[in-house]
Amino acid sequence: MSSWREKLPETIEYVRERCRLIPAVGIILGSGLGSCLSDLLEEHSFLFSELPHLARPTVEGHEGRLVLGRVFNRNVAVMRGRIHFYEGYPMEEVVYPVRLLHGLGVEALVVTNACGAVNVGFSPGDIMVRSPS
């Protein structure tokens, strides 16, 4: 089996052949936030299933789409969903999308996630911020 170092150039080349945008910021959206950034000026969109060597999410709320575009005058790469270790994927596949973002030019990464809550007032997609004590 090939290592990620051998696979990554093929995935990067696939994206580059279809979109020349170089993203400076990567954003990985977790559960409930897939529709976030609707103001994104989309240049190109890829389903994970069409990208070579990228695993597909199986968790509800994780679309599995890489979108390249602009938001607030910044080139961004947005992953609408991600894969998880608990889905049965080896860690090398779980971190592969982050390696891809770096290979595409991403220098700063924002990752969101869902946190279980006992507050019934919270809904998927709600933003929670813990303030310092």
Side-chain angles (χ1 to χ4, degrees):
M1 180 187 244
S2 301
S3 77
W4 67 268
R5 292 179 195 278
E6 296 166 326
K7 296 175 182 177
L8 190 59
E10 183 182 347
T11 312
I12 293 168
E13 181 180 347
Y14 183 92
V15 172
R16 288 276 173 259
E17 286 176 351
R18 289 153 182 82
C19 181
R20 292 287 184 200
L21 184 135
I22 307 294
V25 177
I27 303 169
I28 300 176
L29 300 172
S31 301
L33 293 176
S35 62
C36 187
L37 297 175
S38 58
D39 292 337
L40 176 68
L41 297 175
E42 184 178 311
E43 184 160 320
H44 202 90
S45 176
F46 304 90
L47 287 172
F48 283 12
S49 60
E50 73 180 277
L51 294 170
H53 312 296
L54 204 61
R56 290 115 179 110
T58 62
V59 174
E60 184 179 338
H62 289 264
E63 178 183 4
R65 182 178 296 278
L66 169 64
V67 181
L68 298 173
R70 294 184 57 79
V71 66
F72 300 117
N73 293 320
R74 296 292 306 246
N75 289 350
V76 298
V78 178
M79 291 202 161
R80 297 181 189 245
R82 62 171 169 265
I83 61 166
H84 304 82
F85 185 66
Y86 65 75
E87 292 176 87
Y89 290 110
M91 195 54 68
E92 183 174 299
E93 288 186 49
V94 172
V95 301
Y96 191 83
V98 175
R99 296 182 199 277
L100 172 60
L101 291 175
H102 179 69
L104 292 174
V106 166
E107 298 172 358
L109 181 64
V110 176
V111 182
T112 69
N113 71 295
C115 295
V118 294
N119 184 332
V120 296
F122 291 150
S123 299
D126 285 353
I127 303 294
M128 299 170 28
V129 178
R130 183 181 187 279
S131 59
S133 304

